[in-house]
């Protein structure tokens, strides 16, 4: 899979998939696609997985995009101004605000996470419920505003 993120504050990510590759996306996030792209709606993770996604503000179903008859492309965009950023997972996890998930490779799971501290849940602005993306592959998240990357030293959280 190759990808390109275009735009300034209304960004869109275009994924180029080889035949046999597939990507999962949040319902309604697709902006455009090649004519050979096939779509299948699935409750990835079963009923429990779908219910967990609903709790974090995502849809019960995810759409699987897969090209047939050769390579293809599909593009996704957020519903509000903001930035799209890739998160590469190698068996690790990443905690994000709810509604941040845009799309991911097949090996990535979307789960529910909770704020660990009572004060953070009440006064942190994000509430108690967050999203955890985990597994292996690349996930694309969308957030309002700009992105600041921080490299944490050992022991920092």
């Amino acid at each position: 899979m190759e990808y390109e993120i275009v735009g300034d504050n209304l960004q869109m990510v275009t994924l180029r998939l080889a035949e046999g590759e597939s990507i999962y996306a949040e319902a309604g996030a697709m902006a455009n696609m090649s004519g050979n792209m096939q779509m299948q709606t699935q409750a990835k993770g079963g009923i429990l997985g779908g219910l967990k996604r609903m709790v974090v503000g995502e849809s019960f179903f995810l759409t699987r995009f897969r090209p047939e008859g050769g390579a293809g492309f599909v593009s996704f965009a957020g519903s509000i101004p903001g930035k799209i950023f890739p998160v590469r997972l190698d068996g690790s996890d990443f905690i994000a605000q709810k509604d941040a998930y845009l799309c991911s490779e097949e090996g990535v799971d979307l789960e529910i996470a909770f704020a660990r501290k009572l004060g953070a849940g009440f006064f942190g602005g994000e509430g108690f419920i967050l999203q955890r993306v985990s597994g292996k592959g690349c996930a694309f998240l969308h957030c309002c505003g700009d992105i600041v990357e921080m490299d944490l030293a050992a022991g920092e959280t």
Side-chain angles (χ1 to χ4, degrees):
M1 174 192 73
E2 296 177 6
Y3 72 88
E4 178 184 17
I5 298 173
V6 297
D8 187 26
N9 64 358
L10 290 170
Q11 291 188 324
M12 178 173 69
V13 60
T14 299
L15 306 165
R16 299 195 189 294
L17 304 176
E19 189 167 9
E21 290 183 314
S22 62
I23 193 94
Y24 282 91
E26 171 66 13
M30 191 268 295
N32 59 54
M33 64 184 183
S34 59
N36 68 331
M37 194 63 64
Q38 302 299 309
M39 298 185 302
Q40 292 177 305
T41 302
Q42 300 177 343
K44 187 177 180 194
I47 293 173
L48 185 57
L51 291 173
K52 286 179 182 180
R53 282 192 297 276
M54 288 180 67
V55 170
V56 294
E58 303 293 348
S59 63
F60 184 87
F61 296 101
L62 292 176
T63 305
R64 181 180 184 209
F65 294 85
R66 185 185 64 212
E68 285 189 4
F73 71 88
V74 60
S75 299
F76 303 99
S79 59
I80 54 177
K83 301 288 183 180
I84 296 172
F85 62 100
V87 176
R88 296 191 192 287
L89 301 165
D90 57 0
S92 57
D93 64 353
F94 187 90
I95 305 295
Q97 68 187 27
K98 62 183 182 175
D99 291 330
Y101 176 80
L102 192 61
C103 61
S104 64
E105 290 183 286
E106 270 192 79
V108 175
D109 294 315
L110 178 62
E111 302 170 356
I112 191 171
F114 296 100
R116 294 185 185 177
K117 296 183 180 179
L118 193 61
F122 279 119
F123 305 113
E126 295 302 327
F128 290 102
I129 299 173
L130 303 169
Q131 289 182 321
R132 177 188 318 272
V133 288
S134 61
K136 291 189 177 202
C138 190
F140 293 89
L141 305 178
H142 177 267
C143 68
C144 298
D146 286 320
I147 297 167
V148 177
E149 288 189 44
M150 300 173 71
D151 290 322
L152 302 178
E156 290 184 317
T157 56

